[in-house]
Amino acid sequence: MAAPRTLFDKIWDAHLVDTTEDGLSILYADRLLIMEMQPQAFEGLRMAGLKVRCPDKVLGVMDHVIPTHPRDQAIEDPVARMMVEQAYKDYEEFGVELFDLVDKRQGIVHVIGPEQGFTLPGVTLFCGDSHTATHGAFGAFAMGVGTSEIEHILATQTLRSPKPKNMRVTVDGDLSIGCSGKDIILAIIGAIGTAGGTGHVIEFAGSAIRDLSMEGRMTVSNMTIEAGARAGLIAPDEKTFAYCEGRPRAPKGADWDRAIEYWKTLPTDEGAVFDKEVTLEAEKIAPQVTWGTNPEEVAPIDGVVPDPADAPNEDRRRMIQRSLDYMGLVPGTAMKDVAIDRAFIGSCTNSRIEDLEAAAAIARGRKVADGVEAMVVPGSGLIKDEAEARGLDKIFTEAGFDWREPGCSMCIAMNGDNIEPGQRCASTSNRNFEGRQGRDGRTHLASPAMVAAAAVTGRLTDVRELETRSIE
Amino acid sequence: MDKFNTLTGVAAPMDMINIDTDKIIPKLHLRTIKRTGLGKVLFEEMRFETDGSEKPDFILNKEPYRNSKIIVAGDNFGCGSSREHAPWALLDFGIRCVISTSFADIFYNNCFKNGILPIRVTKDQLDALMADASDTENPELTVDLVNMEIKRPNGVTVPFELDAFRRECLLDGLDDIGLTMQKGDKIDGFEAQQNQAQPWLNSAPPA
Ligand code: SF4
């Protein structure tokens, strides 16, 4: 009998075109998602006189630089306009399908892939954004790549890569009330560190992961890169199939039955060996919020800002001190005493319908605190429509949140949405790096419910202390 | 891509761990349609005040480091995003080699695609090289890719490892696309077999 294999091994093996002498694999790319940030890839093709090998396996969208104001207003920023115009030209010239700004299907690249059924179990999927691991929630091998690799995939439909190792993070047990996929992944990153998964792909397993919805699983997988691993995977199951069924690009009819049959063979075999294993207990996870300038610098909401003096070594001590200086925080301060100026609900981590529901259940009937500016940016036009059909937009606007058009917005702050120097923002995004949301801006990452709670109280707040309201 | 053979140049010590891609090039500068010209914004937030004036304490603003060709940095260099603008900015500034105890995976890969050599060394080796680079009198290192060693100012050499294919590509300035296209028939074969097994993967977008 063949040796037991992991989910990742199976996908890798099924896409191996060739191996080079020194262990690099040439891996077939089933899917490539592109956005307006990599015009240099098309520039490269043009210079080399190359074509896109399989335009049908490529899908283009605009999300990073586009404003979130109403779409009938022109893009004022000349650089953003230039990038959008270049994308139109490139996609047209190379025959790649594009969801443009007036298309309802437009949205954040990692939201629209699954939404369209472009993301499917068992596929290899690449994109020039490091949060491509999001798609791994479907049991796909999805990885962020650089511009040269995008160009390589466009030209050859393959990627050259060494095979990463297998790591498994198992989270068993029941998540407590007020916690979500975001809290799980922040707790994982806090436990293993921003380099804990370097060189590996992480399979997320265990009952707490299985119990999550597809949205929750996407949130977990989304932040795999913040633990240093380029890809995360979750075994496909009935929930995965139910999510995919009927989506525009999903298989239909007899193909659907064949696909399901194949997808069921994907989960990790009993006895497969992982190079690294980590286990967490879901019961022990409290709502998480970051205090520093990388996602590993995280604490439970009922915790305190750490003291650099307690650091295990000199490198860490300096790192923590630097983070606290940047964040303007004093050791020992209760996380719940940290006042905020801004709140952002959005990004490919937390802008799906379930995320908006969780935030709305806190926002309903409450008001954004005085002096706080809060915004909600849905992940796609389709999500925005659904939220509006259900009146979520009203809940938010009545509470004083801004309700915007879809895009990356303040996750990366390159579209004109940003926080001011020294401002403190509770954010559902995935990165709290220095300057990420605006120069000298301070970011605290948390779940949608936690950010909504911070918005209405004006400080980081334990969402378990607020009553959750019906949004029907 | 420029060939990489032997490189002798000033090495800038950056004794800091987790230098992420946002520090290497702030994301606002990702909004460009070209690969060149990014050297002037390399390490922008550490290097310049908001008004554009230089921060005098930053290493690359000091002599003799203004002409650095090598960076010696703390652990986990290049963590963060997949942006290839990070190696482009380093290259445009004139950096062809980064030495650290470890690199983030994506950054590490991206370096080779742009003719930059990332070298992994042990903590002890890094400490020694960091001290060499900090000597403003003679901060020059020689990186010899042919013999896979770094020559320190005191003449001592530090060996390093690199996978053979990557070494070959850097030495010859070879680009990956050309190499892979030589395997066109294998890719054709794979597609034919996959189209049989999973025809749904090949479907054109719905009309
Ligand atoms: S929302 Fe943020 S992390 Fe996600 S694709 Fe956009 S910029 Fe990247």
Side-chain angles (χ1 to χ4, degrees), chain A residues 35 63-64 108-110 129-131 222 346-349 407-409 411-412 429-431 436:
Chain A
M35 25 79 181
D63 58 4
H64 277 58
I108 304 172
V109 68
H110 308 310
D129 178 281
S130 41
H131 296 90
N222 172 275
S347 89
C348 58
T349 315
C408 296
S409 182
C411 169
I412 188 155
S429 52
N430 42 53
R431 289 212 159 131
R436 173 79 176 186

Side-chain angles (χ1 to χ4, degrees), chain A residues 323-395:
Chain A
S323 293
L324 294 187
D325 291 346
Y326 181 86
M327 294 297 289
L329 292 173
V330 178
T333 310
M335 294 304 296
K336 284 192 273 192
D337 285 341
V338 177
I340 61 154
D341 309 292
R342 307 285 291 266
F344 171 65
I345 295 169
S347 89
C348 58
T349 315
N350 283 127
S351 64
R352 298 178 182 83
I353 196 72
E354 182 183 284
D355 303 315
L356 303 186
E357 286 168 356
I362 297 297
R364 176 158 207 166
R366 297 190 170 98
K367 289 275 180 231
V368 171
D370 281 348
V372 173
E373 233 179 284
M375 68 196 283
V376 185
V377 183
S380 73
L382 295 174
I383 292 171
K384 179 164 184 270
D385 279 1
E386 185 180 348
E388 288 176 357
R390 295 178 38 197
L392 301 186
D393 59 323
K394 288 279 160 346
I395 295 179

Side-chain angles (χ1 to χ4, degrees), chain B residues 21-52:
Chain B
T21 51
D22 272 307
K23 291 199 184 83
I24 299 173
I25 179 167
K27 55 180 190 266
L28 210 58
H29 302 295
L30 311 193
R31 310 194 317 162
T32 165
I33 59 173
K34 294 258 170 281
R35 294 172 198 238
T36 47
L38 298 173
K40 56 182 188 298
V41 292
L42 177 70
F43 297 120
E44 189 182 47
E45 292 183 9
M46 292 195 278
R47 193 166 142 213
F48 301 108
E49 302 289 352
T50 355
D51 65 7

Side-chain angles (χ1 to χ4, degrees), chain A residues 24-337:
Chain A
L24 280 189
S25 300
I26 299 182
L27 203 66
Y28 194 76
D30 295 332
R31 300 282 184 252
L32 177 68
L33 282 161
I34 53 175
M35 25 79 181
E36 75 278 20
M37 297 305 291
Q38 291 96 14
Q40 292 88 351
F42 289 104
E43 183 196 15
L45 291 184
R46 218 175 269 124
M47 278 170 6
L50 296 169
K51 289 212 284 278
V52 173
R53 182 181 169 101
C54 304
D56 289 351
K57 296 180 180 176
V58 185
L59 178 59
V61 72
M62 297 167 176
D63 58 4
H64 277 58
V65 303
I66 55 163
T68 51
H69 59 50
R71 289 285 142 85
D72 49 7
Q73 293 173 19
I75 304 179
E76 273 164 34
D77 178 349
V79 185
R81 203 165 57 225
M82 171 186 77
M83 299 202 71
V84 165
E85 281 164 7
Q86 186 65 39
Y88 272 112
K89 272 188 236 159
D90 290 339
Y91 298 2
E92 157 117 47
E93 176 183 343
F94 287 92
V96 171
E97 191 187 9
L98 164 71
F99 293 173
D100 70 11
L101 292 187
V102 291
D103 194 319
K104 274 293 169 207
R105 299 168 299 176
Q106 179 271 341
I108 304 172
V109 68
H110 308 310
V111 174
I112 64 151
E115 215 168 61
Q116 293 300 316
F118 189 72
T119 308
L120 293 170
V123 301
T124 52
L125 181 152
F126 304 99
C127 174
D129 178 281
S130 41
H131 296 90
T132 306
T134 313
H135 310 264
F138 290 80
F141 173 54
M143 184 168 84
V145 291
T147 308
S148 297
E149 288 167 316
I150 295 174
E151 188 182 330
H152 189 276
I153 295 171
L154 286 168
T156 68
Q157 208 59 36
T158 65
L159 179 78
R160 284 175 172 264
S161 173
K163 187 183 176 192
K165 294 187 195 144
N166 279 290
M167 173 167 176
R168 178 161 60 188
V169 175
T170 306
V171 190
D172 274 319
D174 293 328
L175 209 51
S176 39
I177 299 209
C179 289
S180 67
K182 184 65 163 280
D183 303 296
I184 295 185
I185 189 63
L186 284 173
I188 291 173
I189 297 164
I192 70 176
T194 53
T198 302
H200 294 75
V201 302
I202 299 179
E203 178 173 341
F204 297 99
S207 64
I209 302 291
R210 280 194 301 276
D211 288 347
L212 292 172
S213 65
M214 287 314 293
E215 280 90 349
R217 293 180 190 181
M218 282 189 256
T219 302
V220 170
S221 203
N222 172 275
M223 288 187 71
T224 314
I225 187 69
E226 310 309 337
R230 289 178 73 179
L233 296 110
I234 296 172
D237 60 11
E238 293 302 328
K239 270 187 210 170
T240 321
F241 308 151
Y243 181 101
C244 293
E245 191 168 11
R247 305 228 165 225
R249 296 265 196 141
K252 309 262 163 5
D255 277 350
W256 174 255
D257 299 332
R258 274 177 77 185
I260 296 252
E261 206 179 302
Y262 171 58
W263 295 342
K264 284 186 173 161
T265 67
L266 291 172
T268 295
D269 297 329
E270 191 76 40
V273 179
F274 287 82
D275 302 286
K276 207 168 168 181
E277 293 246 29
V278 173
T279 316
L280 264 74
E281 290 168 59
E283 283 86 359
K284 294 205 176 136
I285 299 175
Q288 305 280 308
V289 58
T290 61
W291 50 263
T293 57
N294 68 61
E296 139 188 2
E297 296 182 332
V298 67
I301 183 64
D302 44 16
V304 296
V305 174
D307 191 337
D310 301 335
N313 59 51
E314 180 57 19
D315 272 350
R316 275 240 89 59
R317 193 195 64 74
R318 283 199 325 217
M319 190 74 200
I320 295 174
Q321 188 59 55
R322 186 187 161 92
S323 293
L324 294 187
D325 291 346
Y326 181 86
M327 294 297 289
L329 292 173
V330 178
T333 310
M335 294 304 296
K336 284 192 273 192
D337 285 341

